[in-house]
Amino acid sequence: MDQVTIKDISNYKDKEITIKGWLYNKRSSGKIHFLLVRDGTGIVQSVVEKGKVTDEEFEMADHISQESSIIVKGLVRADPRSPIGYEISVTEIRLIQEAYGYPITPKEHGIAFLMDHRHLWLRSLRQHAILKIRSRIEKSIRDFFDSKNFTLIDAPIFTPSSCEGTTTLFETEYFGRKVYLSQSGQLYMEAAAMAFGKVYCFGPTFRAEKSKTRRHLTEFWMVEPEMAYAELEDAMELAEDLVITIVKDVLSDCSKELDTLKRDKAKLKQIKKPFPRITYKEAVNLLKEKGVDIVEGDDFGGDEETILSNRFGLPLFVHHYPLALKAFYMKGDPKDPSLALCMDMLAPEGYGEIIGGGQREDNLDTLRKRIKTAGLDEKDFDWYLDLRRYGSVPHAGFGLGLERTVAWICGLHHVRETIPFPRTIERVSP
Ligand code: 4AD
Ligand code: MG
């Protein structure tokens, strides 16, 4: 007797198999019950016919409720009407635990209700598809950097100081001191790049974002590559290749999931190199043409990003923002020191920024001034300044936000569905 998962069912045509799972849905017509059984890898219709199972089993199959755990044994039959091409003709069925009153029924539920039941909502087809794609993207990211000989260096979560400005720090008590949850592993990756050349970290980061938008979480995952002897242009090329790879991998391995989400695949198939590149100044002019009330020196908000990223069917690089808008570590352009050697990548279809990065200030004195101007305490960054004291070189990198990337690839309106258990300004449970 083979123990198989639904994903591999096509290898078992006309053979008897056992599926261990849960009842997803059911319909009955007197002498026959159609059970949709899911096992985490797929859903298969399992047909229970009177006379082919015991009377007790047949009776049980009639009353079994949604999400009860069951084990079915039966013959795999080809069925052209089935979405997976096969169904099971049941010969034996066992109830493991009866689920009474499963709260998420096939009817429509509001988002707050679903979020309160996130621990159960994960079982639904749509959420399952999204998290399968997230998992595939994470693998794609790791494979990409590993294949390019980047070394994975894990950044700490407890940090003594800020990386992306002090306004979004989560503070926590640490044996009589204050420490902060990491906003970004970048500063540590810079240290690691001087030791290993090409490195990346991939983990959760935390921001006390007061903004209640469809793009903001308080805990989100970021992959952050950093390269020694590299400049802005190198970071842009790497970012472009990474995004191309992610899109290609999802299209080839998650076709079924994209269909479940009704994602327009043509939009993803058209993602090709090179991505358009415009300067911040050009972006401002573009926005003005669109009637946006903006002047040079203003930062872009969600609305501006949406307009820009709707303009092209491709991810868009916006580079050379005013240095004054950017974090202390950004390097000024030697050709115009008021501009930063930085870039954002905006995903198309209005998704906005998925990547931020650029070249880092590598001069000790300039960096010290920048720390001071940012109102930060140089003492906190003494270790970081060591990197400019001992063998400083041009270096660059970026951070890609995983949830915003998943939202774009899946075509979701809000990032809350892109992470298994979202944390937002108003939600820390389940
Ligand atoms: O642009 P950010 O702030 O860049 C950094 O943190 C750099 N230190 C990264 C680096 O160069 N190593 O954030 C990078 C990306 C954004 O483009 C966005 O995709 C994501 O992180 N991000 C968020 N995602 C969800 N919720 C939030 N609150 C986010 N804040 C940033
Ligand atoms: Mg940014």
Side-chain angles (χ1 to χ4, degrees), residues 163-164 183-184 186 207 209 215-218 220 222 224-226 329 344 353-358 360 397-404:
C163 176
E164 293 301 318
Q183 295 165 311
S184 156
Q186 181 196 317
R207 296 197 190 170
E209 300 273 12
R215 295 180 180 141
H216 287 93
L217 295 164
T218 53
F220 63 96
M222 185 157 48
E224 297 182 86
E226 192 71 29
Y329 54 73
D344 282 353
E353 182 191 333
I354 54 169
I355 287 180
R360 323 306 188 184
F398 61 83
L400 171 136
L402 180 62
E403 289 74 18
R404 291 189 189 176

PDB file of all heavy atoms in Angstrom, residues 163-164 183-184 186 207 209 215-218 220 222 224-226 329 344 353-358 360 397-404, ligand 1:
ATOM      1  N   CYS A 163      19.190  52.412  11.887  1.00  0.00           N
ATOM      2  CA  CYS A 163      19.805  52.355  10.555  1.00  0.00           C
ATOM      3  C   CYS A 163      19.033  53.258   9.611  1.00  0.00           C
ATOM      4  O   CYS A 163      19.601  53.993   8.832  1.00  0.00           O
ATOM      5  CB  CYS A 163      19.799  50.911  10.039  1.00  0.00           C
ATOM      6  SG  CYS A 163      20.430  50.706   8.365  1.00  0.00           S
ATOM      7  N   GLU A 164      17.717  53.222   9.705  1.00  0.00           N
ATOM      8  CA  GLU A 164      16.871  53.939   8.744  1.00  0.00           C
ATOM      9  C   GLU A 164      16.185  55.157   9.369  1.00  0.00           C
ATOM     10  O   GLU A 164      15.088  55.506   8.985  1.00  0.00           O
ATOM     11  CB  GLU A 164      15.829  52.982   8.181  1.00  0.00           C
ATOM     12  CG  GLU A 164      16.412  51.873   7.321  1.00  0.00           C
ATOM     13  CD  GLU A 164      17.184  52.421   6.128  1.00  0.00           C
ATOM     14  OE1 GLU A 164      16.711  53.376   5.496  1.00  0.00           O
ATOM     15  OE2 GLU A 164      18.258  51.885   5.860  1.00  0.00           O
ATOM     16  N   GLN A 183      15.888  47.546  12.085  1.00  0.00           N
ATOM     17  CA  GLN A 183      15.131  48.087  10.943  1.00  0.00           C
ATOM     18  C   GLN A 183      15.700  47.576   9.635  1.00  0.00           C
ATOM     19  O   GLN A 183      15.060  47.665   8.583  1.00  0.00           O
ATOM     20  CB  GLN A 183      15.252  49.612  10.888  1.00  0.00           C
ATOM     21  CG  GLN A 183      14.644  50.367  12.044  1.00  0.00           C
ATOM     22  CD  GLN A 183      15.137  51.804  12.051  1.00  0.00           C
ATOM     23  OE1 GLN A 183      16.339  52.053  11.952  1.00  0.00           O
ATOM     24  NE2 GLN A 183      14.222  52.744  12.163  1.00  0.00           N
ATOM     25  N   SER A 184      16.950  47.102   9.688  1.00  0.00           N
ATOM     26  CA  SER A 184      17.663  46.694   8.475  1.00  0.00           C
ATOM     27  C   SER A 184      18.991  46.094   8.921  1.00  0.00           C
ATOM     28  O   SER A 184      19.594  46.559   9.889  1.00  0.00           O
ATOM     29  CB  SER A 184      17.917  47.922   7.596  1.00  0.00           C
ATOM     30  OG  SER A 184      19.019  47.716   6.737  1.00  0.00           O
ATOM     31  N   GLN A 186      21.591  46.168   7.101  1.00  0.00           N
ATOM     32  CA  GLN A 186      22.597  46.744   6.197  1.00  0.00           C
ATOM     33  C   GLN A 186      23.952  47.058   6.826  1.00  0.00           C
ATOM     34  O   GLN A 186      24.994  46.686   6.273  1.00  0.00           O
ATOM     35  CB  GLN A 186      22.039  48.021   5.569  1.00  0.00           C
ATOM     36  CG  GLN A 186      23.009  48.663   4.596  1.00  0.00           C
ATOM     37  CD  GLN A 186      22.619  50.090   4.279  1.00  0.00           C
ATOM     38  OE1 GLN A 186      21.445  50.365   4.074  1.00  0.00           O
ATOM     39  NE2 GLN A 186      23.592  50.978   4.230  1.00  0.00           N
ATOM     40  N   ARG A 207       9.687  47.805  11.937  1.00  0.00           N
ATOM     41  CA  ARG A 207       9.545  49.263  11.897  1.00  0.00           C
ATOM     42  C   ARG A 207       8.239  49.669  12.544  1.00  0.00           C
ATOM     43  O   ARG A 207       7.181  49.149  12.194  1.00  0.00           O
ATOM     44  CB  ARG A 207       9.602  49.768  10.460  1.00  0.00           C
ATOM     45  CG  ARG A 207      10.972  49.468   9.863  1.00  0.00           C
ATOM     46  CD  ARG A 207      11.303  50.245   8.635  1.00  0.00           C
ATOM     47  NE  ARG A 207      12.516  49.669   8.062  1.00  0.00           N
ATOM     48  CZ  ARG A 207      13.005  49.957   6.883  1.00  0.00           C
ATOM     49  NH1 ARG A 207      12.387  50.859   6.133  1.00  0.00           N
ATOM     50  NH2 ARG A 207      14.109  49.381   6.451  1.00  0.00           N
ATOM     51  N   GLU A 209       5.995  51.582  12.084  1.00  0.00           N
ATOM     52  CA  GLU A 209       5.357  52.433  11.075  1.00  0.00           C
ATOM     53  C   GLU A 209       3.993  52.869  11.583  1.00  0.00           C
ATOM     54  O   GLU A 209       3.135  52.041  11.854  1.00  0.00           O
ATOM     55  CB  GLU A 209       5.165  51.662   9.764  1.00  0.00           C
ATOM     56  CG  GLU A 209       6.436  51.140   9.131  1.00  0.00           C
ATOM     57  CD  GLU A 209       7.105  52.157   8.221  1.00  0.00           C
ATOM     58  OE1 GLU A 209       6.710  53.346   8.252  1.00  0.00           O
ATOM     59  OE2 GLU A 209       8.037  51.756   7.507  1.00  0.00           O
ATOM     60  N   ARG A 215       0.753  48.964   2.098  1.00  0.00           N
ATOM     61  CA  ARG A 215       2.136  48.572   1.838  1.00  0.00           C
ATOM     62  C   ARG A 215       2.973  48.417   3.095  1.00  0.00           C
ATOM     63  O   ARG A 215       4.145  48.067   3.004  1.00  0.00           O
ATOM     64  CB  ARG A 215       2.819  49.631   0.986  1.00  0.00           C
ATOM     65  CG  ARG A 215       2.218  49.745  -0.383  1.00  0.00           C
ATOM     66  CD  ARG A 215       2.916  50.795  -1.211  1.00  0.00           C
ATOM     67  NE  ARG A 215       2.289  50.837  -2.515  1.00  0.00           N
ATOM     68  CZ  ARG A 215       2.058  51.936  -3.195  1.00  0.00           C
ATOM     69  NH1 ARG A 215       2.420  53.104  -2.713  1.00  0.00           N
ATOM     70  NH2 ARG A 215       1.485  51.875  -4.373  1.00  0.00           N
ATOM     71  N   HIS A 216       2.396  48.721   4.252  1.00  0.00           N
ATOM     72  CA  HIS A 216       3.211  48.749   5.465  1.00  0.00           C
ATOM     73  C   HIS A 216       2.860  47.666   6.473  1.00  0.00           C
ATOM     74  O   HIS A 216       1.713  47.513   6.865  1.00  0.00           O
ATOM     75  CB  HIS A 216       3.098  50.118   6.149  1.00  0.00           C
ATOM     76  CG  HIS A 216       3.821  51.190   5.416  1.00  0.00           C
ATOM     77  ND1 HIS A 216       3.207  51.988   4.493  1.00  0.00           N
ATOM     78  CD2 HIS A 216       5.111  51.571   5.460  1.00  0.00           C
ATOM     79  CE1 HIS A 216       4.094  52.834   3.994  1.00  0.00           C
ATOM     80  NE2 HIS A 216       5.262  52.595   4.558  1.00  0.00           N
ATOM     81  N   LEU A 217       3.885  46.959   6.892  1.00  0.00           N
ATOM     82  CA  LEU A 217       3.790  46.033   8.014  1.00  0.00           C
ATOM     83  C   LEU A 217       4.762  46.543   9.076  1.00  0.00           C
ATOM     84  O   LEU A 217       5.675  47.299   8.770  1.00  0.00           O
ATOM     85  CB  LEU A 217       4.204  44.623   7.572  1.00  0.00           C
ATOM     86  CG  LEU A 217       3.303  43.940   6.538  1.00  0.00           C
ATOM     87  CD1 LEU A 217       4.022  42.765   5.902  1.00  0.00           C
ATOM     88  CD2 LEU A 217       2.000  43.494   7.181  1.00  0.00           C
ATOM     89  N   THR A 218       4.583  46.117  10.314  1.00  0.00           N
ATOM     90  CA  THR A 218       5.554  46.505  11.343  1.00  0.00           C
ATOM     91  C   THR A 218       6.667  45.464  11.439  1.00  0.00           C
ATOM     92  O   THR A 218       7.742  45.741  11.953  1.00  0.00           O
ATOM     93  CB  THR A 218       4.868  46.657  12.711  1.00  0.00           C
ATOM     94  OG1 THR A 218       4.155  45.457  12.984  1.00  0.00           O
ATOM     95  CG2 THR A 218       3.916  47.836  12.712  1.00  0.00           C
ATOM     96  N   PHE A 220       8.444  42.810   8.745  1.00  0.00           N
ATOM     97  CA  PHE A 220       8.479  42.336   7.365  1.00  0.00           C
ATOM     98  C   PHE A 220       9.841  41.725   7.083  1.00  0.00           C
ATOM     99  O   PHE A 220      10.799  41.931   7.837  1.00  0.00           O
ATOM    100  CB  PHE A 220       8.165  43.475   6.378  1.00  0.00           C
ATOM    101  CG  PHE A 220       9.176  44.600   6.398  1.00  0.00           C
ATOM    102  CD1 PHE A 220      10.220  44.636   5.476  1.00  0.00           C
ATOM    103  CD2 PHE A 220       9.081  45.617   7.325  1.00  0.00           C
ATOM    104  CE1 PHE A 220      11.162  45.671   5.495  1.00  0.00           C
ATOM    105  CE2 PHE A 220      10.020  46.661   7.350  1.00  0.00           C
ATOM    106  CZ  PHE A 220      11.051  46.681   6.435  1.00  0.00           C
ATOM    107  N   MET A 222      13.175  41.079   4.714  1.00  0.00           N
ATOM    108  CA  MET A 222      13.961  41.799   3.718  1.00  0.00           C
ATOM    109  C   MET A 222      15.193  40.961   3.382  1.00  0.00           C
ATOM    110  O   MET A 222      15.795  40.363   4.263  1.00  0.00           O
ATOM    111  CB  MET A 222      14.351  43.174   4.279  1.00  0.00           C
ATOM    112  CG  MET A 222      15.067  44.049   3.303  1.00  0.00           C
ATOM    113  SD  MET A 222      14.978  45.841   3.656  1.00  0.00           S
ATOM    114  CE  MET A 222      15.382  46.010   5.347  1.00  0.00           C
ATOM    115  N   GLU A 224      18.948  41.475   1.932  1.00  0.00           N
ATOM    116  CA  GLU A 224      19.861  42.599   1.761  1.00  0.00           C
ATOM    117  C   GLU A 224      21.253  42.146   1.317  1.00  0.00           C
ATOM    118  O   GLU A 224      22.059  41.724   2.138  1.00  0.00           O
ATOM    119  CB  GLU A 224      19.964  43.379   3.082  1.00  0.00           C
ATOM    120  CG  GLU A 224      18.647  43.989   3.501  1.00  0.00           C
ATOM    121  CD  GLU A 224      18.773  44.803   4.771  1.00  0.00           C
ATOM    122  OE1 GLU A 224      19.115  45.988   4.683  1.00  0.00           O
ATOM    123  OE2 GLU A 224      18.544  44.231   5.854  1.00  0.00           O
ATOM    124  N   PRO A 225      21.517  42.233   0.007  1.00  0.00           N
ATOM    125  CA  PRO A 225      22.863  41.946  -0.471  1.00  0.00           C
ATOM    126  C   PRO A 225      23.765  43.176  -0.314  1.00  0.00           C
ATOM    127  O   PRO A 225      23.274  44.311  -0.348  1.00  0.00           O
ATOM    128  CB  PRO A 225      22.645  41.642  -1.956  1.00  0.00           C
ATOM    129  CG  PRO A 225      21.432  42.429  -2.322  1.00  0.00           C
ATOM    130  CD  PRO A 225      20.569  42.504  -1.094  1.00  0.00           C
ATOM    131  N   GLU A 226      25.037  42.916  -0.125  1.00  0.00           N
ATOM    132  CA  GLU A 226      26.014  44.003  -0.032  1.00  0.00           C
ATOM    133  C   GLU A 226      27.294  43.532  -0.709  1.00  0.00           C
ATOM    134  O   GLU A 226      27.707  42.376  -0.523  1.00  0.00           O
ATOM    135  CB  GLU A 226      26.263  44.334   1.445  1.00  0.00           C
ATOM    136  CG  GLU A 226      27.031  45.621   1.694  1.00  0.00           C
ATOM    137  CD  GLU A 226      26.234  46.898   1.379  1.00  0.00           C
ATOM    138  OE1 GLU A 226      24.992  46.889   1.492  1.00  0.00           O
ATOM    139  OE2 GLU A 226      26.872  47.901   1.006  1.00  0.00           O
ATOM    140  N   TYR A 329      23.843  57.037   5.681  1.00  0.00           N
ATOM    141  CA  TYR A 329      24.915  56.220   5.088  1.00  0.00           C
ATOM    142  C   TYR A 329      25.033  56.370   3.570  1.00  0.00           C
ATOM    143  O   TYR A 329      25.943  55.844   2.953  1.00  0.00           O
ATOM    144  CB  TYR A 329      24.705  54.734   5.430  1.00  0.00           C
ATOM    145  CG  TYR A 329      23.322  54.227   5.048  1.00  0.00           C
ATOM    146  CD1 TYR A 329      22.976  54.019   3.710  1.00  0.00           C
ATOM    147  CD2 TYR A 329      22.359  53.969   6.014  1.00  0.00           C
ATOM    148  CE1 TYR A 329      21.719  53.589   3.352  1.00  0.00           C
ATOM    149  CE2 TYR A 329      21.092  53.509   5.671  1.00  0.00           C
ATOM    150  CZ  TYR A 329      20.779  53.329   4.329  1.00  0.00           C
ATOM    151  OH  TYR A 329      19.531  52.901   3.982  1.00  0.00           O
ATOM    152  N   ASP A 344      15.694  53.440  -5.984  1.00  0.00           N
ATOM    153  CA  ASP A 344      14.549  52.641  -5.561  1.00  0.00           C
ATOM    154  C   ASP A 344      14.086  51.890  -6.793  1.00  0.00           C
ATOM    155  O   ASP A 344      14.199  52.400  -7.909  1.00  0.00           O
ATOM    156  CB  ASP A 344      13.385  53.537  -5.103  1.00  0.00           C
ATOM    157  CG  ASP A 344      13.601  54.093  -3.699  1.00  0.00           C
ATOM    158  OD1 ASP A 344      14.577  53.687  -3.035  1.00  0.00           O
ATOM    159  OD2 ASP A 344      12.774  54.929  -3.280  1.00  0.00           O
ATOM    160  N   GLU A 353       7.350  50.976  -4.411  1.00  0.00           N
ATOM    161  CA  GLU A 353       8.719  50.572  -4.059  1.00  0.00           C
ATOM    162  C   GLU A 353       8.804  49.151  -3.507  1.00  0.00           C
ATOM    163  O   GLU A 353       8.175  48.813  -2.520  1.00  0.00           O
ATOM    164  CB  GLU A 353       9.257  51.550  -3.003  1.00  0.00           C
ATOM    165  CG  GLU A 353      10.682  51.234  -2.611  1.00  0.00           C
ATOM    166  CD  GLU A 353      11.149  52.011  -1.373  1.00  0.00           C
ATOM    167  OE1 GLU A 353      10.633  53.115  -1.115  1.00  0.00           O
ATOM    168  OE2 GLU A 353      12.038  51.498  -0.687  1.00  0.00           O
ATOM    169  N   ILE A 354       9.636  48.344  -4.154  1.00  0.00           N
ATOM    170  CA  ILE A 354       9.945  47.024  -3.589  1.00  0.00           C
ATOM    171  C   ILE A 354      11.413  46.929  -3.174  1.00  0.00           C
ATOM    172  O   ILE A 354      11.782  46.071  -2.396  1.00  0.00           O
ATOM    173  CB  ILE A 354       9.593  45.852  -4.545  1.00  0.00           C
ATOM    174  CG1 ILE A 354      10.246  46.016  -5.925  1.00  0.00           C
ATOM    175  CG2 ILE A 354       8.084  45.713  -4.692  1.00  0.00           C
ATOM    176  CD1 ILE A 354      10.147  44.755  -6.792  1.00  0.00           C
ATOM    177  N   ILE A 355      12.247  47.820  -3.751  1.00  0.00           N
ATOM    178  CA  ILE A 355      13.672  47.785  -3.438  1.00  0.00           C
ATOM    179  C   ILE A 355      14.158  49.200  -3.123  1.00  0.00           C
ATOM    180  O   ILE A 355      13.745  50.160  -3.774  1.00  0.00           O
ATOM    181  CB  ILE A 355      14.492  47.224  -4.628  1.00  0.00           C
ATOM    182  CG1 ILE A 355      14.285  45.716  -4.769  1.00  0.00           C
ATOM    183  CG2 ILE A 355      15.990  47.549  -4.499  1.00  0.00           C
ATOM    184  CD1 ILE A 355      15.060  45.074  -5.916  1.00  0.00           C
ATOM    185  N   GLY A 356      15.041  49.297  -2.124  1.00  0.00           N
ATOM    186  CA  GLY A 356      15.730  50.559  -1.875  1.00  0.00           C
ATOM    187  C   GLY A 356      17.199  50.250  -1.624  1.00  0.00           C
ATOM    188  O   GLY A 356      17.511  49.267  -0.955  1.00  0.00           O
ATOM    189  N   GLY A 357      18.083  51.070  -2.172  1.00  0.00           N
ATOM    190  CA  GLY A 357      19.506  50.806  -1.924  1.00  0.00           C
ATOM    191  C   GLY A 357      20.395  51.790  -2.635  1.00  0.00           C
ATOM    192  O   GLY A 357      19.942  52.859  -3.063  1.00  0.00           O
ATOM    193  N   GLY A 358      21.672  51.417  -2.779  1.00  0.00           N
ATOM    194  CA  GLY A 358      22.607  52.291  -3.460  1.00  0.00           C
ATOM    195  C   GLY A 358      24.018  52.138  -2.947  1.00  0.00           C
ATOM    196  O   GLY A 358      24.365  51.127  -2.322  1.00  0.00           O
ATOM    197  N   ARG A 360      27.269  53.306  -0.638  1.00  0.00           N
ATOM    198  CA  ARG A 360      27.410  53.797   0.739  1.00  0.00           C
ATOM    199  C   ARG A 360      28.538  54.818   0.835  1.00  0.00           C
ATOM    200  O   ARG A 360      29.541  54.706   0.118  1.00  0.00           O
ATOM    201  CB  ARG A 360      27.720  52.635   1.688  1.00  0.00           C
ATOM    202  CG  ARG A 360      27.008  51.323   1.382  1.00  0.00           C
ATOM    203  CD  ARG A 360      25.523  51.458   1.286  1.00  0.00           C
ATOM    204  NE  ARG A 360      24.856  50.148   1.168  1.00  0.00           N
ATOM    205  CZ  ARG A 360      23.562  49.994   0.991  1.00  0.00           C
ATOM    206  NH1 ARG A 360      22.768  51.053   0.825  1.00  0.00           N
ATOM    207  NH2 ARG A 360      23.033  48.787   0.930  1.00  0.00           N
ATOM    208  N   GLY A 397      24.778  48.125  -2.150  1.00  0.00           N
ATOM    209  CA  GLY A 397      23.846  47.018  -1.925  1.00  0.00           C
ATOM    210  C   GLY A 397      22.428  47.539  -1.909  1.00  0.00           C
ATOM    211  O   GLY A 397      22.173  48.704  -2.226  1.00  0.00           O
ATOM    212  N   PHE A 398      21.509  46.664  -1.546  1.00  0.00           N
ATOM    213  CA  PHE A 398      20.113  47.101  -1.486  1.00  0.00           C
ATOM    214  C   PHE A 398      19.311  46.170  -0.593  1.00  0.00           C
ATOM    215  O   PHE A 398      19.804  45.132  -0.150  1.00  0.00           O
ATOM    216  CB  PHE A 398      19.494  47.167  -2.893  1.00  0.00           C
ATOM    217  CG  PHE A 398      19.450  45.847  -3.636  1.00  0.00           C
ATOM    218  CD1 PHE A 398      18.428  44.939  -3.407  1.00  0.00           C
ATOM    219  CD2 PHE A 398      20.433  45.530  -4.569  1.00  0.00           C
ATOM    220  CE1 PHE A 398      18.382  43.723  -4.099  1.00  0.00           C
ATOM    221  CE2 PHE A 398      20.397  44.319  -5.267  1.00  0.00           C
ATOM    222  CZ  PHE A 398      19.375  43.416  -5.034  1.00  0.00           C
ATOM    223  N   GLY A 399      18.081  46.565  -0.343  1.00  0.00           N
ATOM    224  CA  GLY A 399      17.145  45.711   0.384  1.00  0.00           C
ATOM    225  C   GLY A 399      15.899  45.517  -0.450  1.00  0.00           C
ATOM    226  O   GLY A 399      15.340  46.483  -0.972  1.00  0.00           O
ATOM    227  N   LEU A 400      15.482  44.259  -0.611  1.00  0.00           N
ATOM    228  CA  LEU A 400      14.219  43.968  -1.295  1.00  0.00           C
ATOM    229  C   LEU A 400      13.211  43.501  -0.252  1.00  0.00           C
ATOM    230  O   LEU A 400      13.492  42.576   0.518  1.00  0.00           O
ATOM    231  CB  LEU A 400      14.410  42.896  -2.373  1.00  0.00           C
ATOM    232  CG  LEU A 400      13.123  42.336  -3.010  1.00  0.00           C
ATOM    233  CD1 LEU A 400      13.262  42.222  -4.526  1.00  0.00           C
ATOM    234  CD2 LEU A 400      12.743  40.977  -2.435  1.00  0.00           C
ATOM    235  N   GLY A 401      12.064  44.183  -0.212  1.00  0.00           N
ATOM    236  CA  GLY A 401      11.004  43.810   0.728  1.00  0.00           C
ATOM    237  C   GLY A 401      10.241  42.618   0.185  1.00  0.00           C
ATOM    238  O   GLY A 401       9.655  42.679  -0.899  1.00  0.00           O
ATOM    239  N   LEU A 402      10.254  41.535   0.950  1.00  0.00           N
ATOM    240  CA  LEU A 402       9.640  40.292   0.464  1.00  0.00           C
ATOM    241  C   LEU A 402       8.121  40.436   0.293  1.00  0.00           C
ATOM    242  O   LEU A 402       7.565  40.015  -0.724  1.00  0.00           O
ATOM    243  CB  LEU A 402       9.956  39.153   1.445  1.00  0.00           C
ATOM    244  CG  LEU A 402       9.377  37.782   1.090  1.00  0.00           C
ATOM    245  CD1 LEU A 402       9.917  37.277  -0.237  1.00  0.00           C
ATOM    246  CD2 LEU A 402       9.662  36.772   2.200  1.00  0.00           C
ATOM    247  N   GLU A 403       7.454  41.026   1.267  1.00  0.00           N
ATOM    248  CA  GLU A 403       5.989  41.063   1.216  1.00  0.00           C
ATOM    249  C   GLU A 403       5.480  41.925   0.068  1.00  0.00           C
ATOM    250  O   GLU A 403       4.509  41.572  -0.589  1.00  0.00           O
ATOM    251  CB  GLU A 403       5.424  41.567   2.552  1.00  0.00           C
ATOM    252  CG  GLU A 403       5.585  40.558   3.686  1.00  0.00           C
ATOM    253  CD  GLU A 403       7.000  40.444   4.198  1.00  0.00           C
ATOM    254  OE1 GLU A 403       7.802  41.370   3.937  1.00  0.00           O
ATOM    255  OE2 GLU A 403       7.331  39.425   4.848  1.00  0.00           O
ATOM    256  N   ARG A 404       6.148  43.041  -0.170  1.00  0.00           N
ATOM    257  CA  ARG A 404       5.700  43.881  -1.297  1.00  0.00           C
ATOM    258  C   ARG A 404       5.953  43.171  -2.618  1.00  0.00           C
ATOM    259  O   ARG A 404       5.186  43.307  -3.574  1.00  0.00           O
ATOM    260  CB  ARG A 404       6.421  45.216  -1.271  1.00  0.00           C
ATOM    261  CG  ARG A 404       5.983  46.063  -0.091  1.00  0.00           C
ATOM    262  CD  ARG A 404       6.545  47.447  -0.221  1.00  0.00           C
ATOM    263  NE  ARG A 404       6.327  48.215   0.996  1.00  0.00           N
ATOM    264  CZ  ARG A 404       6.795  49.434   1.181  1.00  0.00           C
ATOM    265  NH1 ARG A 404       7.505  50.014   0.223  1.00  0.00           N
ATOM    266  NH2 ARG A 404       6.561  50.070   2.299  1.00  0.00           N
TER     267      ARG A 404
HETATM  268  O1  4AD B   1      14.084  51.415   1.414  1.00  0.00           O
HETATM  269  P1  4AD B   1      14.372  50.746   2.710  1.00  0.00           P
HETATM  270  O2  4AD B   1      14.023  51.469   3.953  1.00  0.00           O
HETATM  271  O3  4AD B   1      15.911  50.391   2.663  1.00  0.00           O
HETATM  272  C1  4AD B   1      16.660  49.888   3.671  1.00  0.00           C
HETATM  273  O4  4AD B   1      16.229  49.480   4.721  1.00  0.00           O
HETATM  274  C2  4AD B   1      18.098  49.718   3.318  1.00  0.00           C
HETATM  275  N1  4AD B   1      18.870  49.719   4.551  1.00  0.00           N
HETATM  276  C3  4AD B   1      18.265  48.439   2.545  1.00  0.00           C
HETATM  277  C4  4AD B   1      19.682  48.219   2.097  1.00  0.00           C
HETATM  278  O5  4AD B   1      20.186  48.986   1.298  1.00  0.00           O
HETATM  279  N2  4AD B   1      20.318  47.167   2.567  1.00  0.00           N
HETATM  280  O6  4AD B   1      13.632  49.336   2.749  1.00  0.00           O
HETATM  281  C5  4AD B   1      13.884  48.390   1.751  1.00  0.00           C
HETATM  282  C6  4AD B   1      12.599  47.722   1.300  1.00  0.00           C
HETATM  283  C7  4AD B   1      11.577  48.671   0.705  1.00  0.00           C
HETATM  284  O7  4AD B   1      11.860  48.932  -0.635  1.00  0.00           O
HETATM  285  C8  4AD B   1      10.290  47.896   0.877  1.00  0.00           C
HETATM  286  O8  4AD B   1      10.162  46.918  -0.142  1.00  0.00           O
HETATM  287  C9  4AD B   1      10.520  47.184   2.180  1.00  0.00           C
HETATM  288  O9  4AD B   1      11.909  47.149   2.409  1.00  0.00           O
HETATM  289  N3  4AD B   1       9.841  47.873   3.280  1.00  0.00           N
HETATM  290  C10 4AD B   1       8.678  47.472   3.834  1.00  0.00           C
HETATM  291  N4  4AD B   1       7.868  46.440   3.560  1.00  0.00           N
HETATM  292  C11 4AD B   1       6.758  46.291   4.308  1.00  0.00           C
HETATM  293  N5  4AD B   1       6.430  47.094   5.334  1.00  0.00           N
HETATM  294  C12 4AD B   1       7.215  48.149   5.654  1.00  0.00           C
HETATM  295  N6  4AD B   1       6.890  48.914   6.684  1.00  0.00           N
HETATM  296  C13 4AD B   1       8.401  48.364   4.893  1.00  0.00           C
HETATM  297  N7  4AD B   1       9.401  49.282   4.940  1.00  0.00           N
HETATM  298  C14 4AD B   1      10.264  48.963   3.954  1.00  0.00           C
END
